[in-house]
Short mmCIF file of all heavy atoms in Angstrom, two decimals:
data_model
loop_
_atom_site.label_atom_id
_atom_site.label_comp_id
_atom_site.label_asym_id
_atom_site.label_seq_id
_atom_site.Cartn_x
_atom_site.Cartn_y
_atom_site.Cartn_z
N MET A 1 -14.00 10.89 8.61
CA MET A 1 -13.33 9.60 8.40
C MET A 1 -12.31 9.71 7.27
O MET A 1 -11.14 9.52 7.42
CB MET A 1 -14.36 8.51 8.10
CG MET A 1 -13.77 7.15 7.79
SD MET A 1 -12.89 6.45 9.17
CE MET A 1 -14.24 6.22 10.31
N ASN A 2 -12.77 10.04 6.04
CA ASN A 2 -11.90 10.19 4.89
C ASN A 2 -12.29 11.47 4.14
O ASN A 2 -13.46 11.84 4.05
CB ASN A 2 -12.03 9.00 3.94
CG ASN A 2 -11.37 7.76 4.50
OD1 ASN A 2 -10.16 7.61 4.43
ND2 ASN A 2 -12.17 6.89 5.08
N SER A 3 -11.31 12.09 3.55
CA SER A 3 -11.57 13.30 2.79
C SER A 3 -12.36 12.97 1.54
O SER A 3 -12.21 11.90 0.95
CB SER A 3 -10.23 13.95 2.40
OG SER A 3 -10.46 15.04 1.53
N THR A 4 -13.22 13.90 1.11
CA THR A 4 -14.01 13.65 -0.10
C THR A 4 -13.26 14.07 -1.36
O THR A 4 -13.76 13.91 -2.47
CB THR A 4 -15.33 14.44 -0.02
OG1 THR A 4 -15.05 15.82 0.19
CG2 THR A 4 -16.20 13.91 1.11
N THR A 5 -12.04 14.64 -1.19
CA THR A 5 -11.21 15.00 -2.34
C THR A 5 -10.16 13.93 -2.53
O THR A 5 -9.37 13.65 -1.62
CB THR A 5 -10.52 16.36 -2.12
OG1 THR A 5 -11.52 17.33 -1.86
CG2 THR A 5 -9.71 16.76 -3.34
N PHE A 6 -10.11 13.29 -3.68
CA PHE A 6 -9.23 12.15 -3.90
C PHE A 6 -8.18 12.48 -4.97
O PHE A 6 -8.48 13.14 -5.97
CB PHE A 6 -10.02 10.92 -4.32
CG PHE A 6 -11.04 10.51 -3.31
CD1 PHE A 6 -12.37 10.83 -3.49
CD2 PHE A 6 -10.66 9.83 -2.17
CE1 PHE A 6 -13.31 10.47 -2.55
CE2 PHE A 6 -11.60 9.45 -1.23
CZ PHE A 6 -12.93 9.77 -1.42
N LEU A 7 -6.98 12.03 -4.77
CA LEU A 7 -5.89 12.21 -5.73
C LEU A 7 -5.77 10.97 -6.59
O LEU A 7 -5.75 9.86 -6.09
CB LEU A 7 -4.57 12.46 -4.99
CG LEU A 7 -4.51 13.71 -4.10
CD1 LEU A 7 -3.18 13.73 -3.35
CD2 LEU A 7 -4.67 14.97 -4.95
N LYS A 8 -5.68 11.16 -7.89
CA LYS A 8 -5.52 10.03 -8.79
C LYS A 8 -4.03 9.71 -8.93
O LYS A 8 -3.22 10.60 -9.20
CB LYS A 8 -6.12 10.35 -10.16
CG LYS A 8 -7.63 10.53 -10.13
CD LYS A 8 -8.16 10.74 -11.52
CE LYS A 8 -9.68 10.89 -11.50
NZ LYS A 8 -10.24 11.12 -12.85
N PRO A 9 -3.64 8.45 -8.77
CA PRO A 9 -2.22 8.10 -8.90
C PRO A 9 -1.75 8.31 -10.35
O PRO A 9 -2.48 8.06 -11.29
CB PRO A 9 -2.19 6.62 -8.50
CG PRO A 9 -3.57 6.14 -8.71
CD PRO A 9 -4.47 7.30 -8.45
N THR A 10 -0.53 8.78 -10.47
CA THR A 10 0.03 9.04 -11.80
C THR A 10 1.09 8.03 -12.18
O THR A 10 1.65 8.10 -13.27
CB THR A 10 0.64 10.44 -11.84
OG1 THR A 10 1.65 10.55 -10.83
CG2 THR A 10 -0.42 11.51 -11.61
N LEU A 11 1.39 7.09 -11.27
CA LEU A 11 2.42 6.10 -11.55
C LEU A 11 1.78 4.75 -11.87
O LEU A 11 0.63 4.50 -11.57
CB LEU A 11 3.35 5.94 -10.34
CG LEU A 11 4.12 7.20 -9.90
CD1 LEU A 11 4.88 6.93 -8.61
CD2 LEU A 11 5.08 7.66 -10.99
N THR A 12 2.55 3.88 -12.49
CA THR A 12 2.09 2.52 -12.76
C THR A 12 2.63 1.64 -11.63
O THR A 12 3.84 1.59 -11.39
CB THR A 12 2.61 2.01 -14.11
OG1 THR A 12 2.16 2.90 -15.13
CG2 THR A 12 2.10 0.61 -14.39
N PHE A 13 1.70 0.93 -10.94
CA PHE A 13 2.09 0.14 -9.76
C PHE A 13 2.03 -1.35 -10.07
O PHE A 13 1.27 -1.80 -10.93
CB PHE A 13 1.16 0.46 -8.59
CG PHE A 13 1.21 1.91 -8.20
CD1 PHE A 13 0.16 2.76 -8.46
CD2 PHE A 13 2.35 2.42 -7.57
CE1 PHE A 13 0.21 4.10 -8.09
CE2 PHE A 13 2.40 3.75 -7.19
CZ PHE A 13 1.34 4.59 -7.46
N PRO A 14 2.79 -2.16 -9.32
CA PRO A 14 2.77 -3.61 -9.53
C PRO A 14 1.54 -4.27 -8.93
O PRO A 14 1.32 -5.45 -9.13
CB PRO A 14 4.04 -4.08 -8.79
CG PRO A 14 4.25 -3.06 -7.72
CD PRO A 14 3.80 -1.76 -8.31
N HIS A 15 0.68 -3.53 -8.20
CA HIS A 15 -0.56 -4.04 -7.60
C HIS A 15 -0.34 -5.12 -6.54
O HIS A 15 -1.26 -5.83 -6.19
CB HIS A 15 -1.50 -4.59 -8.68
CG HIS A 15 -1.91 -3.53 -9.67
ND1 HIS A 15 -2.47 -2.35 -9.30
CD2 HIS A 15 -1.81 -3.51 -11.03
CE1 HIS A 15 -2.71 -1.60 -10.37
NE2 HIS A 15 -2.32 -2.28 -11.44
N HIS A 16 0.88 -5.26 -6.07
CA HIS A 16 1.11 -6.19 -4.96
C HIS A 16 2.45 -5.86 -4.31
O HIS A 16 3.29 -5.20 -4.91
CB HIS A 16 1.08 -7.64 -5.42
CG HIS A 16 2.21 -8.02 -6.33
ND1 HIS A 16 3.41 -8.47 -5.86
CD2 HIS A 16 2.31 -7.96 -7.69
CE1 HIS A 16 4.23 -8.71 -6.88
NE2 HIS A 16 3.59 -8.41 -8.01
N SER A 17 2.61 -6.33 -3.10
CA SER A 17 3.88 -6.13 -2.39
C SER A 17 4.29 -7.47 -1.78
O SER A 17 3.75 -7.87 -0.74
CB SER A 17 3.72 -5.08 -1.27
OG SER A 17 4.91 -4.97 -0.53
N PRO A 18 5.19 -8.17 -2.44
CA PRO A 18 5.59 -9.50 -1.96
C PRO A 18 6.08 -9.48 -0.52
O PRO A 18 5.93 -10.46 0.20
CB PRO A 18 6.72 -9.89 -2.92
CG PRO A 18 6.51 -9.04 -4.13
CD PRO A 18 5.93 -7.75 -3.63
N GLU A 19 6.68 -8.33 -0.09
CA GLU A 19 7.23 -8.28 1.26
C GLU A 19 6.15 -8.44 2.34
O GLU A 19 6.39 -9.03 3.39
CB GLU A 19 7.96 -6.94 1.47
CG GLU A 19 9.21 -6.76 0.63
CD GLU A 19 8.87 -6.19 -0.75
OE1 GLU A 19 7.66 -6.03 -1.03
OE2 GLU A 19 9.80 -5.91 -1.54
N ILE A 20 4.95 -7.90 2.08
CA ILE A 20 3.88 -7.97 3.07
C ILE A 20 3.48 -9.42 3.36
O ILE A 20 3.19 -9.80 4.50
CB ILE A 20 2.66 -7.16 2.61
CG1 ILE A 20 3.02 -5.67 2.54
CG2 ILE A 20 1.47 -7.36 3.57
CD1 ILE A 20 1.91 -4.78 2.05
N SER A 21 3.51 -10.25 2.35
CA SER A 21 3.12 -11.66 2.53
C SER A 21 4.11 -12.42 3.39
O SER A 21 3.80 -13.50 3.90
CB SER A 21 2.97 -12.35 1.17
OG SER A 21 4.22 -12.35 0.48
N THR A 22 5.32 -11.88 3.56
CA THR A 22 6.32 -12.55 4.39
C THR A 22 6.35 -12.03 5.82
O THR A 22 7.13 -12.50 6.64
CB THR A 22 7.73 -12.38 3.77
OG1 THR A 22 8.08 -10.99 3.78
CG2 THR A 22 7.76 -12.92 2.34
N CYS A 23 5.50 -11.04 6.12
CA CYS A 23 5.47 -10.45 7.47
C CYS A 23 5.06 -11.48 8.52
O CYS A 23 4.17 -12.30 8.29
CB CYS A 23 4.46 -9.30 7.52
SG CYS A 23 5.14 -7.73 6.99
N LYS A 24 5.71 -11.37 9.67
CA LYS A 24 5.34 -12.24 10.79
C LYS A 24 4.94 -11.43 12.03
O LYS A 24 4.24 -11.95 12.90
CB LYS A 24 6.51 -13.17 11.14
CG LYS A 24 6.80 -14.20 10.04
CD LYS A 24 7.90 -15.16 10.47
CE LYS A 24 8.15 -16.20 9.38
NZ LYS A 24 9.24 -17.15 9.76
N THR A 25 5.39 -10.20 12.10
CA THR A 25 5.06 -9.36 13.25
C THR A 25 4.73 -7.95 12.77
O THR A 25 5.04 -7.57 11.63
CB THR A 25 6.24 -9.27 14.23
OG1 THR A 25 7.34 -8.59 13.59
CG2 THR A 25 6.69 -10.66 14.68
N MET A 26 4.13 -7.17 13.66
CA MET A 26 3.83 -5.77 13.33
C MET A 26 5.12 -4.98 13.14
O MET A 26 5.15 -4.01 12.38
CB MET A 26 2.98 -5.15 14.43
CG MET A 26 1.50 -5.50 14.37
SD MET A 26 0.71 -5.02 12.82
CE MET A 26 0.97 -3.24 12.82
N ARG A 27 6.18 -5.39 13.80
CA ARG A 27 7.47 -4.70 13.62
C ARG A 27 7.96 -4.86 12.19
O ARG A 27 8.46 -3.90 11.58
CB ARG A 27 8.49 -5.27 14.61
CG ARG A 27 9.82 -4.53 14.59
CD ARG A 27 10.75 -5.04 15.67
NE ARG A 27 12.00 -4.32 15.67
CZ ARG A 27 13.01 -4.55 16.50
NH1 ARG A 27 12.88 -5.52 17.44
NH2 ARG A 27 14.13 -3.86 16.44
N ASP A 28 7.81 -6.06 11.64
CA ASP A 28 8.17 -6.28 10.23
C ASP A 28 7.33 -5.39 9.34
O ASP A 28 7.84 -4.79 8.38
CB ASP A 28 7.93 -7.74 9.84
CG ASP A 28 8.84 -8.71 10.59
OD1 ASP A 28 9.89 -8.26 11.08
OD2 ASP A 28 8.47 -9.89 10.69
N LEU A 29 6.03 -5.30 9.65
CA LEU A 29 5.12 -4.51 8.83
C LEU A 29 5.47 -3.02 8.89
O LEU A 29 5.37 -2.32 7.87
CB LEU A 29 3.68 -4.72 9.29
CG LEU A 29 2.62 -4.13 8.33
CD1 LEU A 29 2.49 -5.02 7.10
CD2 LEU A 29 1.28 -4.01 9.02
#
């Protein structure tokens, strides 16, 4: 299912994506 080896992110992220909340179709996504 998922690999047991995980990569730790090295960047600082905004923890959200405003664009996803505006999606209306899978094509937008």
Side-chain angles (χ1 to χ4, degrees):
M1 176 64 66
N2 287 281
S3 173
T4 55
T5 304
F6 300 101
L7 299 175
K8 294 184 179 179
T10 58
L11 300 174
T12 302
F13 299 109
H15 299 306
H16 66 88
S17 175
E19 294 86 355
I20 295 178
S21 62
T22 64
C23 274
K24 292 184 179 179
T25 66
M26 281 301 300
R27 185 175 181 180
D28 295 338
L29 191 75

